[in-house]
Amino acid sequence: MHKLAESIRSVPGFPKPGIVFRDITTLLNDPAAFNEALSIFHNRYKNTPLDRVVAVESRGFIFGAALANLLQVGFVPIRKPGKLPAQTLHEEYELEYGRDTIEIHADAVKRGDRILIHDDLLATGGTSVAACRLIERMGGSVVGLAFLIELSFLHGRQRLGNYDVFSIIQYESE
Amino acid sequence: MHKLAESIRSVPGFPKPGIVFRDITTLLNDPAAFNEALSIFHNRYKNTPLDRVVAVESRGFIFGAALANLLQVGFVPIRKPGKLPAQTLHEEYELEYGRDTIEIHADAVKRGDRILIHDDLLATGGTSVAACRLIERMGGSVVGLAFLIELSFLHGRQRLGNYDVFSIIQYESE
């Protein structure tokens, strides 16, 4: 376990009994820890040819935008339905109960673009698979997916198949 | 008008007729424009003693977190109800129709902390006034409020009274 895990607050029973919520706000509120996590991402991708960082609403915006700026590439938000004002593409994905949808601006990624996808958390991978589909429908190439936290026991990495998946902190159980 | 306004996309009729939505995603997807806006914020506050940047969900996270990292201070998110897992304080504020609520972790700001509040957009100022109240209830001091865009014709700056309010781009009408 990376020592940055010490900066994460574990909150049992949130959002419901049996779940241990991994709260990154304590890490973000510690400038040295925040900077170290951001530097790990930056060092991993700084020699990788990239055109944009795409990040998922809303916690994904926190590292995603800062990383895009460090890498000097564009930043593209993926959002919940109805938030993006121009023409969008959307993808549905399955939740434990029901379905959810994410959207991206249809002109945000160009054919041939090399894309890094970021979210704070890799759980079952449903959102990430949908994000990859959005990028590929626009002709972009998913160069990698970068997460601060991976809940390994939910096997999201397996659902992401042959993509390059990176995480800084892994939890093997709740 | 700052030349960065050229990087903002105006979308008439979103989210409803009569409104012109100022879409920052085109600025974010232009690395030079994003970096210039972030540098303007950084230069304005780099010599101001600060302890944390507090930013409002979710577009506020984009510049807020990157700015906190550049300033080497903590980053604190203000979120919609039910998103933050630990003990929170909340504030209600009025919307055009109805009321809304924002929350902050009760331990995120310490007595005496010097706080910069960031959001992407200053409209009527309701959210910002509520954010100031949250900070002050915890004993923090609001050193300033920084916005990418100010809709001057909605007079949010007046509602923020004697606070130090800064914006990069101002619109004088819809």
Side-chain angles (χ1 to χ4, degrees), chain A residues 130-152:
Chain A
C132 290
R133 281 202 201 108
L134 285 173
I135 302 307
E136 291 165 356
R137 283 170 59 193
M138 290 185 279
S141 166
V142 178
V143 170
L145 297 100
F147 303 92
L148 181 62
I149 294 174
E150 178 178 0
L151 304 181
S152 308

Side-chain angles (χ1 to χ4, degrees), chain A:
Chain A
M1 181 75 80
H2 196 284
K3 70 177 170 53
L4 276 174
E6 295 167 11
S7 302
I8 306 275
R9 168 164 56 188
S10 293
V11 183
F14 187 89
K16 57 185 184 182
I19 306 289
V20 179
F21 189 87
R22 307 300 178 171
D23 175 20
I24 68 169
T25 66
T26 41
L27 183 152
L28 301 171
N29 208 354
D30 173 344
F34 184 10
N35 191 64
E36 185 177 349
L38 188 56
S39 296
I40 292 169
F41 287 134
H42 183 211
N43 286 328
R44 180 167 172 100
Y45 298 105
K46 67 185 178 189
N47 297 317
T48 302
L50 284 173
D51 296 295
R52 295 168 222 289
V53 174
V54 172
V56 181
E57 181 177 19
S58 62
R59 287 193 306 264
F61 293 178
I62 294 169
F63 281 98
L67 181 59
N69 180 249
L70 285 177
L71 294 168
Q72 300 174 60
V73 301
F75 173 74
V76 177
I78 285 182
R79 302 208 61 181
K80 304 286 164 54
K83 304 277 191 157
L84 294 169
Q87 192 191 342
T88 60
L89 295 179
H90 70 274
E91 276 285 337
E92 283 194 352
Y93 59 99
E94 287 185 26
L95 298 173
E96 192 180 1
Y97 303 103
R99 301 179 70 78
D100 212 341
T101 303
I102 52 174
E103 291 190 340
I104 194 168
H105 270 144
D107 61 357
V109 170
K110 315 290 182 211
R111 188 161 296 281
D113 275 356
R114 295 154 298 190
I115 304 295
L116 176 65
I117 294 175
H118 166 71
D119 203 351
D120 69 319
L121 181 76
L122 174 57
T124 64
T127 314
S128 297
V129 168
C132 290
R133 281 202 201 108
L134 285 173
I135 302 307
E136 291 165 356
R137 283 170 59 193
M138 290 185 279
S141 166
V142 178
V143 170
L145 297 100
F147 303 92
L148 181 62
I149 294 174
E150 178 178 0
L151 304 181
S152 308
F153 57 94
L154 295 178
H155 308 298
R157 187 180 283 267
Q158 283 84 329
R159 281 190 65 187
L160 289 165
N162 291 321
Y163 292 107
D164 182 72
V165 174
F166 172 69
S167 62
I168 297 178
I169 299 164
Q170 301 81 34
Y171 293 94
E172 305 295 340
S173 62
E174 284 287 3

Side-chain angles (χ1 to χ4, degrees), chain B residues 1-158:
Chain B
M1 180 75 81
H2 197 284
K3 70 178 170 50
L4 275 175
E6 295 167 11
S7 302
I8 306 274
R9 169 164 54 189
S10 293
V11 183
F14 186 89
K16 58 186 183 182
I19 305 290
V20 179
F21 189 87
R22 307 300 179 172
D23 176 19
I24 69 168
T25 67
T26 41
L27 182 152
L28 301 171
N29 207 354
D30 174 344
F34 185 8
N35 191 65
E36 185 177 349
L38 187 56
S39 298
I40 290 169
F41 287 133
H42 184 212
N43 286 328
R44 180 168 173 99
Y45 298 104
K46 68 185 178 189
N47 296 317
T48 302
L50 284 174
D51 296 294
R52 298 170 219 290
V53 174
V54 172
V56 182
E57 179 175 20
S58 61
R59 288 193 304 265
F61 294 178
I62 294 169
F63 281 98
L67 181 59
N69 180 249
L70 285 177
L71 294 168
Q72 301 175 61
V73 300
F75 174 74
V76 177
I78 285 182
R79 301 207 62 180
K80 304 284 163 56
K83 304 278 191 158
L84 292 170
Q87 193 191 340
T88 60
L89 295 180
H90 70 273
E91 277 285 336
E92 284 195 350
Y93 59 99
E94 286 185 27
L95 298 172
E96 192 180 359
Y97 303 103
R99 301 180 69 79
D100 212 341
T101 303
I102 53 174
E103 291 190 341
I104 194 168
H105 270 145
D107 62 355
V109 171
K110 316 290 180 212
R111 188 161 296 280
D113 275 357
R114 293 155 298 190
I115 303 295
L116 176 65
I117 294 176
H118 166 72
D119 203 350
D120 68 319
L121 181 75
L122 174 57
T124 64
T127 314
S128 298
V129 168
C132 290
R133 282 201 201 109
L134 285 174
I135 301 308
E136 291 165 357
R137 283 171 58 193
M138 289 185 279
S141 166
V142 178
V143 169
L145 297 100
F147 304 92
L148 181 63
I149 294 173
E150 177 177 0
L151 303 181
S152 309
F153 58 93
L154 295 178
H155 307 298
R157 185 180 285 265
Q158 284 84 331

